[in-house]
Amino acid sequence: MIPARYANALFSLILSGLMSLMVSGLSTVKALGPIDGIVVIWLRNWLSCWGVAFVTALLLAPHVRRLVDLLIKPRKRIV
């Protein structure tokens, strides 16, 4: 098992991988259409996008969490 201190990095890795997979797939199909070899082109594009998405997720996650905290109503505490 992976130590708990790596939870944020693992979350960012998995989420950025899945999201970049879907977005790059949609973009590739929209740009090229259903051509032969589309899957290979898609996966090649995805791998380069995943690196950017992962680093972005790691760097922006703390700022996004703070923004979300500012935008939501705090829960009422029951004593």
Side-chain angles (χ1 to χ4, degrees), residues 2-3 10 13 17 21 27 33 38-40 42-43 45 48-49 54 59 62 69:
I2 298 171
L10 184 58
L13 181 73
L21 180 71
S27 305
I38 190 85
V39 173
V40 173
W42 170 22
L43 293 177
N45 289 335
S48 62
C49 291
F54 177 55
L59 294 175
D69 287 343

Side-chain angles (χ1 to χ4, degrees), residues 13-76:
L13 181 73
I14 293 170
L15 185 61
S16 65
L18 293 172
M19 290 184 67
S20 61
L21 180 71
M22 303 308 279
V23 171
S24 65
L26 179 64
S27 305
T28 303
V29 170
K30 285 188 79 168
L32 302 178
I35 62 170
D36 288 337
I38 190 85
V39 173
V40 173
I41 296 168
W42 170 22
L43 293 177
R44 202 174 301 140
N45 289 335
W46 169 60
L47 284 175
S48 62
C49 291
W50 191 3
V52 173
F54 177 55
V55 172
T56 302
L58 280 176
L59 294 175
L60 292 183
H63 304 291
V64 172
R65 283 190 187 102
R66 276 189 229 114
L67 177 61
V68 169
D69 287 343
L70 291 171
L71 295 174
I72 61 171
K73 292 181 183 178
R75 290 184 178 180
K76 292 184 180 179

